[in-house]
Amino acid sequence: MILHKTMTSIEKVIEDINQVAKDINRQINLMEVCGTHTQVISRYGIADILPKNIHLSTGPGCPVCVTSQIDIDAIVNLALAGVPVATYGDVLRVPGAFGSLDQAREQGAQVFVVHTTEDALQLKKKHPDVVFFGLGFETTTPMTAYAIQNGLTVYSAHKLFLPAMLALVDMKELNIDGFIDPGHVSAIIGTDPYQVMKLPQVITGFEAEDVIVGIYMLLKQISDGRAEVENQYVRIVKKKGNPKAMKLINDVFDVVDGQWRGFGMIPLSGLDVKDKYKEQNAKIKYKKILDKVDFSQSQKPVACKCGDIIRGLMSAKECPLFGKVCTP
C-alpha cells in the first residue's frame, strides 16, 4: 500500500496519470524542489508507480545541501576560534575543508544544537557571544529575523529560493518539463513570484495524495500545451503569501549575491543582515577571525556530491557518502 487513506479517489488519479502519460508519448522530466516533497516521494514510493516515461528528479530543495562550502568553513572556523555556535542539528555533520561542526565540537568547540531560534535566544542568556548559524529559505528566515531584532548574533547563509529555480533552467543541464513548486516556501512568498518562469508549475502540499494530484496537474498542463502556475495547496498557500513574514524578512535582511553548493554564485539570491543590525551580524562582528581563514581551501573538491544531486544530475544513492557520512 502506498497510501494510508482511502484509495478510491487517488486510484482514479493514478489511472488518469497513466492515460495522460500515454497521450504525451515521450519522456517527461519533472523536478520537485522541496526537501519535504523529496521525503514524501521516497517514503511512499511515488516514483515507482509512475509510467516509465515520467521521470522525477530532485532539485535544490534542501537548505542544508545548498549551503556553500565557504559558509560551512566560516562557521566551523568561528567555532574552532572559541566562538560559541548554535545550529540546527541537520547541518552538524556537513563536511567542509576544515571539518564539520560535529568534528569541531569533538575538538572542544562550543557547538550547541537548537530546534528553534527561540532556543538560541535562551542559549544567549548563558552564552552572550553565541552565534546562530542561520540557514534556509524564506520558510525559516522570518524566525531568524525575529531573533536578530531581539539581539541574537547571526551568521546568515539564508537564501531566496526562486533564483535557484531560474538558474537551473538557464544552465540547461536538464530538459525540465515542469516543477513541483515548494509548499513551505510558497506559504511565505505566495504564488505570484513564480509567474516569471514560463514552465508548467504546481504548488502542492505534503500528503502523498497532494503530490500525486500535483503530478497529474503538471502532466495535464504539458498535454494541453499550457505553462501556468497552479496551486494545489490552496488550504495553506495564498496568492500573496504571508505579508507579515515577508515584511519581517525585508526589515532585517538585504538581498545580496549568494553562494550555493553546486551552483556557485547566483546573483541576488542571498540574504545578509542589514547595516542597522550590523552589531548582530557575525560576519562583521568576527571579521578579524574570518579574515585569517584560507578560503581557497573551500574551493577544493570534496567527496560530497550534493551539488550534482540538487541539480538533478544524479540520485542521492549514487553519492559515495550516502548512508555513511551522510545519513538523511
Side-chain angles (χ1 to χ4, degrees):
M1 293 288 286
I2 296 169
L3 305 175
H4 61 281
K5 297 182 179 179
T6 176
M7 293 293 292
T8 305
S9 60
I10 208 66
E11 284 177 344
K12 177 62 168 64
V13 177
I14 294 170
E15 289 178 6
D16 292 341
I17 286 174
N18 279 275
Q19 183 59 56
V20 176
K22 184 178 179 181
D23 293 342
I24 294 173
N25 195 30
R26 66 175 176 87
Q27 179 166 318
I28 299 295
N29 297 313
L30 305 179
M31 177 175 277
E32 96 275 348
V33 286
C34 174
T36 309
H37 284 148
T38 302
Q39 294 172 10
V40 170
I41 289 167
S42 175
R43 181 180 301 123
Y44 293 104
I46 291 174
D48 298 331
I49 66 170
L50 296 178
K52 293 188 181 299
N53 63 322
I54 308 301
H55 176 69
L56 285 181
S57 60
T58 297
C62 170
V64 174
C65 299
V66 303
T67 300
S68 74
Q69 187 91 3
I70 289 173
D71 289 326
I72 294 293
D73 289 343
I75 198 70
V76 167
N77 273 278
L78 288 182
L80 290 172
V83 178
V85 169
T87 181
Y88 296 131
D90 47 3
V91 77
L92 199 62
R93 296 176 64 187
V94 177
F98 302 89
S100 66
L101 283 170
D102 195 37
Q103 290 170 326
R105 185 165 61 177
E106 290 174 356
Q107 296 176 50
Q110 297 182 83
V111 178
F112 304 93
V113 173
V114 295
H115 298 290
T116 66
T117 53
E118 191 63 42
D119 291 344
L121 284 168
Q122 291 298 315
L123 184 65
K124 186 177 183 294
K125 295 177 181 179
K126 293 182 179 179
H127 302 275
D129 294 329
V130 68
V131 169
F132 176 66
F133 189 25
L135 53 87
F137 307 120
E138 289 92 339
T139 315
T140 56
T141 308
M143 295 180 287
T144 303
Y146 167 81
I148 289 171
Q149 288 180 336
N150 284 272
L152 187 65
T153 299
V154 169
Y155 182 101
S156 175
H158 283 291
K159 293 175 172 60
L160 301 175
F161 194 79
L162 188 58
M165 295 177 68
L166 293 167
L168 270 172
V169 174
D170 289 343
M171 292 170 87
K172 297 181 179 178
E173 293 176 311
L174 290 174
N175 179 24
I176 301 172
D177 294 291
F179 283 104
I180 301 173
D181 288 342
H184 292 136
V185 168
S186 301
I188 303 298
I189 70 173
T191 63
D192 282 355
Y194 299 106
Q195 301 290 345
V196 299
M197 295 183 58
K198 306 306 179 185
L199 281 171
Q201 300 169 72
V202 176
I203 300 164
T204 79
F206 299 102
E207 297 291 333
E209 294 93 330
D210 293 326
V211 176
I212 291 172
V213 171
I215 290 170
Y216 171 69
M217 292 167 69
L218 273 176
L219 294 177
K220 195 72 173 67
Q221 279 198 52
I222 294 166
S223 177
D224 295 345
R226 295 180 287 120
E228 301 172 4
V229 180
E230 293 185 289
N231 182 13
Q232 184 273 340
Y233 201 23
V234 291
R235 61 189 186 271
I236 296 294
V237 175
K238 309 305 177 187
K239 182 178 174 64
K240 298 298 181 182
N242 185 330
K244 289 184 178 180
M246 290 302 300
K247 184 178 184 301
L248 192 55
I249 293 172
N250 294 330
D251 177 69
V252 175
F253 290 99
D254 283 324
V255 178
V256 298
D257 296 341
Q259 287 287 338
W260 295 61
R261 188 184 296 267
F263 290 89
M265 192 274 290
I266 299 179
L268 301 178
S269 67
L271 292 169
D272 209 353
V273 182
K274 283 183 181 289
D275 282 346
K276 67 178 179 179
Y277 295 107
K278 63 183 179 181
E279 292 184 3
Q280 276 74 57
N281 187 345
K283 296 175 187 178
I284 296 175
K285 186 174 182 178
Y286 295 108
K287 186 176 185 297
K288 289 183 179 179
I289 294 174
L290 295 174
D291 282 348
K292 295 177 182 178
V293 179
D294 181 9
F295 284 109
S296 66
Q297 299 293 318
S298 306
Q299 310 303 323
K300 294 181 179 180
V302 294
C304 172
K305 300 298 182 184
C306 277
D308 290 334
I309 294 166
I310 62 178
R311 299 201 316 278
L313 301 179
M314 66 185 294
S315 70
K317 291 182 180 179
E318 294 176 280
C319 177
L321 301 186
F322 182 81
K324 301 181 180 103
V325 174
C326 181
T327 53

